[in-house]
Amino acid sequence: GDDTTLMPYARYGLTDDFALFAAVPMKDVSMDEGDDNSGFGDVQVGFELLAWEDVMEFPFFIPHVTLSLPTGDEDKGLGTGNTRLTGGLAVGTTIMGWEEFQYHFIVDGRYTIIDKDSAEDDDGHDDNFGSLAAAMIWELSPRFSILGEGMITDQKLEGQDDKPYTLSGGLTYKPIPALLIGIYGG
């Protein structure tokens, strides 16, 4: 089916190196078999820590943790039906291009632990899983960027033998320093 998500995301830096974040997805899901549904997805909260960066601000290491709460209706395809805790490490660098362009390259490894007690049923497809992602951001100006990202996981999905993967691209625009607007598809 098709899944369209509008996800307001708030991030607050407590210090220069430590930030808290929250995301509240609004989803519109059209299933190949079944009804079309709209509503809230699973709310996410977490933190990021800039553990180390070079004096030139790159390369960098950012450990992060996200708690996903089962607020979306699993039966309608809006949520997972269980609590998930994801921990990971993002490693990245920046390369200066010609003129004022910058290219950012990031690799992110994650591991997700699923709370079996919060699942409505245990059908065997909700096992802990790892994932590996890579992203490239082409910063055309301090306000506008183009990006591409890909991710592969070893998550087991019902009725599928292949490893799920995601490929997406998007644009971001920063009208003021405290607001970033992003549009992604994939």
Side-chain angles (χ1 to χ4, degrees), residues 9 11 17-21 46-51 62-65:
Y9 173 88
R11 183 175 184 275
D17 298 335
F18 186 78
L20 301 173
F21 63 85
F47 70 87
E48 300 168 342
L49 172 68
L50 179 58
I62 302 175
H64 53 87
V65 174

Side-chain angles (χ1 to χ4, degrees), residues 149-178:
E149 38 187 32
M151 181 177 71
I152 188 163
T153 77
D154 64 353
Q155 182 181 17
K156 294 177 183 174
L157 297 177
E158 189 174 353
Q160 292 187 1
D161 293 329
D162 297 333
K163 293 185 187 289
Y165 65 91
T166 305
L167 298 174
S168 62
L171 307 169
T172 62
Y173 178 69
K174 191 183 283 190
I176 59 175

Side-chain angles (χ1 to χ4, degrees), residues 1 26 32 40 42 45 64 82 92 95 97 99 113 119 124-125 129 132 135 137 146 154-155 175 181:
M26 293 293 300
D32 287 339
F40 286 105
D42 291 344
V45 295
H64 53 87
N82 49 43
I95 298 172
E99 296 194 18
I113 300 168
H125 72 276
F129 62 93
L132 183 64
I137 303 169
I146 299 171
D154 64 353
Q155 182 181 17
I181 299 168

Side-chain angles (χ1 to χ4, degrees), residues 19-145:
L20 301 173
F21 63 85
V24 182
M26 293 293 300
K27 299 176 74 75
D28 184 41
V29 179
S30 175
M31 307 297 268
D32 287 339
E33 296 178 15
D35 297 330
D36 296 347
N37 295 296
S38 297
F40 286 105
D42 291 344
V43 171
Q44 300 172 16
V45 295
F47 70 87
E48 300 168 342
L49 172 68
L50 179 58
W52 181 84
E53 69 180 347
D54 191 15
V55 294
M56 300 296 287
E57 297 184 352
F58 45 87
F60 54 84
F61 295 92
I62 302 175
H64 53 87
V65 174
T66 303
L67 177 64
S68 180
L69 303 169
T71 55
D73 189 335
E74 179 185 21
D75 294 334
K76 294 182 177 180
L78 302 174
T80 61
N82 49 43
T83 302
R84 295 171 179 226
L85 182 67
T86 301
L89 176 66
V91 178
T93 192
T94 299
I95 298 172
M96 305 304 245
W98 50 279
E99 296 194 18
E100 294 184 19
F101 297 149
Q102 292 184 18
Y103 301 94
H104 306 276
F105 298 93
I106 304 158
V107 175
D108 187 1
R110 301 173 181 208
Y111 191 74
T112 299
I113 300 168
I114 298 171
D115 179 12
K116 303 278 191 212
D117 294 335
S118 69
E120 289 182 17
D121 59 349
D122 187 12
D123 55 9
H125 72 276
D126 285 331
D127 292 327
N128 301 339
F129 62 93
S131 63
L132 183 64
M136 200 258 333
I137 303 169
W138 180 15
E139 189 177 306
L140 296 171
S141 75
R143 296 173 73 176
F144 182 74
S145 298

